[in-house]
Amino acid sequence: MTKSKLINENSIGGLFLILGSIVLLTTIYFEFSIGWIGHARTNKETNEFILSNWENLKHIWTWQMLSHFVYITGYFLLLKKAEVLMRIVWSILTVCSLLMLVAFGLTLGTYYQALEMYNSEPAIFETLRGGIGYLYQFGRYGLLLFVVAFLVETLNNNGKILKVFGFSLLAFIILLFTVGYAFGI
């Protein structure tokens, strides 16, 4: 593989990570705006919220699922010629995003129907919620590891993420946290 092709694949992989991050952050904003996150609820209130807001949540979760597909594409591009430690990191991130894809796929394919039957057959929904919850929790650890990998690949002199894009996204995230903190969100 020529050096220019490798640099191109690394740049494209970095762009995929940035695109996935923008999509994921945007969907988190939409989750907040409809009240899915940022509010404490009982299990019963959560079930009622999902049923009454299913159309919005379905679209948000579909886009989140897409963001993980975009992440996986970027991980594969970056994995090809990464150093050993980063190859392990990209591999772990790929597995975590695959778990998130499965969790979102199961949620989108089964949650609403299982919630509709909740009053007559609560065990079905509780079983689905438990299984999806485990997949989602393990997959979320990948997002924490992603932050570390993103910083390493942005700050490293030989990093795979273009500095202008990486620093722009980092500045945007810091701005979001600052605004959220200032307004008590």
Side-chain angles (χ1 to χ4, degrees), residues 9-153:
E9 284 181 358
N10 288 338
S11 296
I12 293 170
L15 287 173
F16 271 89
L17 297 186
I18 290 170
L19 178 62
S21 298
I22 291 170
V23 170
L24 186 64
L25 290 171
T26 303
T27 60
I28 290 171
Y29 167 76
F30 287 130
E31 283 181 325
F32 179 79
S33 69
I34 66 167
W36 175 242
I37 57 176
H39 298 281
R41 293 184 189 84
T42 64
N43 283 344
K44 183 179 182 194
E45 291 169 335
T46 300
N47 296 349
E48 291 168 358
F49 183 87
I50 292 171
L51 280 172
S52 63
N53 291 283
W54 179 252
E55 284 303 311
N56 291 327
L57 289 170
K58 178 176 68 171
H59 295 295
I60 291 168
W61 291 339
T62 300
W63 279 99
Q64 286 182 351
M65 192 167 122
L66 174 68
S67 74
H68 285 282
F69 180 76
V70 171
Y71 280 146
I72 290 169
T73 305
Y75 298 153
F76 277 127
L77 287 169
L78 295 171
L79 178 69
K80 290 172 77 172
K81 291 290 182 178
E83 299 292 324
V84 174
L85 181 61
M86 286 309 291
R87 187 174 289 200
I88 293 169
V89 169
W90 297 128
S91 298
I92 292 170
L93 287 169
T94 300
V95 170
C96 290
S97 280
L98 284 170
L99 291 173
M100 294 296 280
L101 277 176
V102 171
F104 281 118
L106 287 171
T107 299
L108 292 168
T110 63
Y111 241 49
Y112 187 76
Q113 296 82 358
L115 271 174
E116 285 184 321
M117 298 178 9
Y118 185 78
N119 290 332
S120 61
E121 294 290 331
I124 294 172
F125 178 73
E126 294 303 328
T127 302
L128 285 170
R129 180 197 314 234
I132 291 169
Y134 282 119
L135 291 170
Y136 185 73
Q137 281 192 306
F138 284 121
R140 268 193 345 203
Y141 292 126
L143 292 176
L144 294 175
L145 183 59
F146 174 76
V147 171
V148 173
F150 188 85
L151 287 173
V152 167
E153 293 295 350

Side-chain angles (χ1 to χ4, degrees), residues 10 14-15 17-18 21 78 86 90 146-171 173:
N10 288 338
L15 287 173
L17 297 186
I18 290 170
S21 298
L78 295 171
M86 286 309 291
W90 297 128
F146 174 76
V147 171
V148 173
F150 188 85
L151 287 173
V152 167
E153 293 295 350
T154 298
L155 299 175
N156 189 349
N157 286 337
N158 297 325
K160 311 296 187 272
I161 298 173
L162 298 174
K163 297 215 182 312
V164 68
F165 291 120
F167 285 123
S168 298
L169 187 59
L170 289 172
I173 292 169

